[in-house]
Amino acid sequence: MYVSFWLPTAVLTAALAIKLPSILKLWRDPLLRAVGGLLLFACAVFVFAAPSTIAWTNRVTGVPNIAAPWVYSLLTALCASWLLLVVHWRNGRTERHAQTRRATRWVVAVYAAVVAALWVLFALADVPVEQIRDLDTYYASTPFMRELILLYLTAHTVASLITSRLVWNWIRTDGLDAWLRWGLRFLGIGFATNLLFSAAKLTAVVARWTGHDLDWLNTNVAPSAACIAATFVAVGFIVPHAGQYLQERWLVRRRHRGLAPLARLMRTVAGSREPLGLRATPEMRLIRRETFIRDTLLQLARRLDEHLRTRSYDAALALGFPPGRAQALAAAVTILDAVEAERRSPDGGGTERSAGSAATALQGAAEPHRTSPDPLSAPDTTYLLQEIHAVSQVLRKPEEIKAVRARAAVPAESMSAHE
């Protein structure tokens, strides 16, 4: 069975590229350093574990099978980075700083000793025949090489068990962001799959000791499990960042589209539209549309009728709309009335009523800190400039606006008598 080591390498490299800016910017954060070390060692493991790279390493050094202790050392360092990640993740709080440093020293010391022991055992072992794919089973009974294989597999198994257990415990933690929870699920699957790698390797080695041939577990199942595990781990680091980024982009575009009805209405007043930039970011397009709408609303301030908005609000409440929706409907009715008045008086002239409304609006804009328990007592521009999204949303429901407008047009005395 053909196993590609370059696919997980590519995914791990992508995860490292995504995390690298944060790692460099916040280099003093031990958690980010642990993540960076994990991804870096994982990339190195798959680069040097590829059969073509193993053959190249042996050929360049001139030492048969020297790629084995090198790859196993990188794998051991990767296991240490897993444990360092969970140590800093679990004990990251200030009050556990001493405990974190103590655990970090233990992990580094133990796994550094394992790496040193791997090289000592390899130097003592007699491994003259080069093995690219099945070294573990071929030399399973060779003195010192047997101990080397058991040592690195034990270190790998212990790290996989501890990391997998802690990650699955964190998944059940309350208050986690949804994207972070999904990332932890992928990490949990990846670390759990690493146990399959160790199990396949150990089973194949023990089978050799008992005179059986299960080498296919070592040459096929174990490499496949390692590739799958690494891919899931890389995806686990990518998902929170990519998911949050895509969600933010979607929310920005949604807000931009949500302002379309109000922006179209404001274009009839301004005689133009907001500036367009083909290379502008979604955030910049949203800012330009919001600015355009607010600037045009300020031009309409002198034509906004405060009394109409009050009657419209009462009418919306009478029609059964909740207060928030009623306030947005009242604002929409007032804006539509102001736009119609602007169209009837293109020269900018206005009635005494409009002048009075303009004075009220301008006073409210100059004193935005003044508040009142009644939302309708605030100046028109205060609400309109802050809640343009709510106003634009109700503009998509012309039938509701029509109903509120019709009811607001009925004199209060007639309405009371009719009721």
Side-chain angles (χ1 to χ4, degrees), residues 319-341:
L319 290 172
F321 292 102
R325 185 75 171 182
Q327 194 174 5
L329 284 167
V333 170
T334 307
I335 291 174
L336 288 171
D337 180 76
V339 170
E340 293 173 359

